[in-house]
Amino acid sequence: IEINTEIMGGKPVIKGTRITVESILKRLSEGLNVKEILEDYPYINEDDIRAALLYAAKVLESETIIPVI
């Protein structure tokens, strides 16, 4: 996963592509499976999809929750 302000406005993308982590997560949430995503994006592989999931998990893991009182 890479972040470059010159690519997709700085959103995290699968390295060497313009496919955002967000787009992979969205397709998974819509019910597409890995095979279907790979058919849509034949220039990525399963490891790329796993990297997108891991990136999202790590972002959430490092998130700071501030309770509103």
Side-chain angles (χ1 to χ4, degrees), residues 3-58:
I3 298 172
N4 180 336
T5 56
E6 307 270 324
I7 301 170
M8 300 303 288
K11 288 186 173 191
V13 298
I14 294 175
K15 191 172 186 173
T17 75
R18 297 178 61 80
I19 302 169
T20 62
V21 168
E22 177 185 358
S23 68
I24 297 296
L25 296 175
K26 185 174 180 185
R27 282 171 173 74
L28 288 168
S29 74
E30 291 169 347
L32 272 71
N33 62 40
V34 171
K35 182 181 176 190
E36 292 168 320
I37 294 170
L38 294 176
E39 287 171 1
D40 289 343
Y41 301 114
Y43 36 89
I44 67 171
N45 60 50
E46 287 185 44
D47 287 340
D48 294 324
I49 293 172
R50 280 193 288 277
L53 290 169
L54 179 60
Y55 176 85
K58 290 203 175 276

Side-chain angles (χ1 to χ4, degrees), residues 57-68:
K58 290 203 175 276
V59 166
L60 291 172
E61 179 181 77
S62 66
E63 184 178 48
T64 301
I65 307 298
I66 302 172
V68 177

